[in-house]
């Protein structure tokens, strides 16, 4: 078969050259469209279910949330196993699917099952799905460089302006905020005063919740004009919370300020984010969506950051602390350098040994053509250009060069022997 293939190629050189040119062009297109990343994504095909029930111990979370969810999610199709983790106030369920399962099909199956287990969970508890990213999806970290600005103000800018702007970038699954203080109103109840006024904690909570809402009215017509009545009751300051009436004691209203203190403060923190030992910082982590092109997403995020920076307060700017595009570019530059060096060295060595420029030209043509065909296969199997795949190509260049040298030298030797035999016959 090999002999017939070689014979066919020799008799149909134009067809072989045309096929080679088509493959090379296809390979160049594959190089441009191939997804680029620094490291391969070897994480499991999983869907994360997050449930929050603050103030409860890990044992309560395990018994009332984690265990019911794990037992009900185990029957999903194409699921390998389900893992559960409980901690103070939070529950994490990791549903691991088969590797061939489409991640968005898997998320739909999990959502369908979660809609049927809501009655088994405590009142007010709602499980949510984690972002459609992977363990290697953290492609860019940044902080806000805001000298002299309060950490609470920085976190507010991050949560209510920067985060919403960057989440619109194509390929971004989530922008996770970190650092600073999340502003909130805290109401500290005095148990002695609650006892004195004969009030309970749920009563205080219900009063505040009902006053922090709008109440709808009815429509009535006056002079052929329709009016809709409603009340706006959203609380906007600590003073408004203090003035909420909880109950009436001898026609005198008992307000929140009579049984509690209200103040604006930061949410309780379990840790801090320190930047280079110079103090706390506020920023975000850009998480890439599953299966996206990391290099392209990073470039789009940086362009969006330039646009978002125009709306930041004076003196505030972005400070990128981790950028995977540097490692990506170094990996690509390394394979380019290796390819060029291998081509030149192999061609020079062949030329010095054989003194035949066409033999050296064969190697110069074969190496880029082989690499181009390799990228066609990478795209066909959905493999990104990363450190491992590019290293494999770099290592295979040596094998390709060896094959080319052996074949060229063998052909050259046979042609030389045939030429000598012809000259000998002519002399005879």
């Amino acid at each position: 078969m090999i002999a017939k293939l070689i014979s066919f190629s020799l008799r149909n050189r134009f067809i072989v050259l045309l096929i080679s040119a088509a493959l090379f062009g296809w390979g160049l297109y594959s190089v441009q469209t191939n997804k680029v990343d620094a490291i391969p994504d070897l994480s499991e095909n999983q869907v994360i279910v997050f449930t929050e029930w603050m103030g409860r111990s890990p044992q309560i979370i395990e018994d009332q949330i984690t265990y019911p969810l794990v037992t009900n999610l185990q029957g999903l199709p194409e699921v390998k196993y389900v893992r559960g983790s409980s901690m103070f106030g939070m529950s994490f369920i990791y549903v691991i699917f088969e590797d061939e399962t489409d991640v968005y099909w898997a998320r739909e199956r999990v959502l369908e099952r979660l809609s049927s287990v809501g009655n088994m969970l405590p009142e007010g508890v709602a499980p949510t799905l984690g972002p459609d990213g992977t363990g290697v999806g953290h492609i860019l970290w940044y902080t806000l460089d805001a000298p002299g600005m309060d950490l609470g103000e920085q976190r507010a800018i991050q949560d209510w302006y920067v985060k919403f702007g960057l989440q619109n970038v194509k390929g971004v699954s989530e922008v996770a905020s970190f650092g600073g203080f999340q502003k909130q109103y805290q109401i500290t109840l005095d148990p002695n005063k609650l006892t004195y006024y004969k009030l309970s904690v749920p009563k205080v909570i219900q009063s505040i919740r009902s006053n922090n809402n709008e109440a709808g009215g009815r429509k009535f017509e006056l002079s052929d004009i329709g009016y809709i009545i409603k009340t706006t009751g959203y609380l906007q300051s600590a003073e408004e919370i203090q003035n909420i009436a909880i109950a009436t004691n001898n026609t005198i209203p008992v307000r929140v300020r009579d049984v509690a203190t209200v103040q604006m403060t930061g949410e309780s923190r379990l840790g801090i984010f320190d930047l280079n030992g110079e103090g706390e910082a506020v920023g975000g982590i850009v998480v890439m969506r599953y299966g996206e092109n990391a290099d392209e997403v990073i470039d789009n995020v940086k362009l969006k950051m330039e646009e978002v920076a125009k709306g930041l307060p004076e003196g505030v700017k972005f400070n990128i602390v981790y950028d995977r595009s540097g490692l990506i570019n170094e990996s690509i530059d390394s394979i380019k350098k290796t390819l060029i060096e291998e081509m030149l060295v192999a061609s020079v060595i062949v030329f010095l040994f054989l003194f035949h420029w066409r033999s050296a030209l064969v190697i110069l043509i074969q190496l880029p053509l082989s690499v181009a065909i390799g990228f066609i296969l990478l795209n066909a199997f959905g493999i990104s250009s990363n450190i491992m795949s590019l290293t494999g190509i770099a290592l295979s260049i040596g094998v390709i060069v060896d094959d080319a040298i052996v074949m060229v030298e063998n052909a050259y030797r046979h042609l030389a022997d045939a030429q000598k035999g012809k000259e000998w016959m002519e002399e005879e």
Side-chain angles (χ1 to χ4, degrees), residues 247-255:
T248 302
N249 189 0
N250 295 327
T251 69
I252 300 175
V254 179
R255 305 181 184 276

Side-chain angles (χ1 to χ4, degrees), residues 364-421:
L364 284 173
I365 295 174
Q366 182 180 2
L367 279 178
L369 179 60
S370 301
V371 173
I373 294 175
F375 275 94
I376 295 175
L377 297 175
L378 288 180
N379 274 359
F381 289 99
I383 302 174
S384 64
S385 298
N386 52 66
I387 290 177
M388 293 189 67
S389 60
L390 293 179
T391 302
I393 293 177
L395 294 175
S396 65
I397 289 175
V399 180
I400 297 171
V401 169
D402 292 342
D403 294 341
I405 292 175
V406 171
M407 295 300 295
V408 168
E409 193 276 335
N410 186 52
Y412 186 83
R413 181 175 61 85
H414 281 287
L415 290 174
D417 292 342
Q419 185 68 24
K420 288 181 180 180

Side-chain angles (χ1 to χ4, degrees), residues 24-34 379:
F24 187 69
W26 187 8
L28 292 179
Y29 174 76
S30 300
V31 170
Q32 296 175 353
T33 58
N34 186 249
N379 274 359

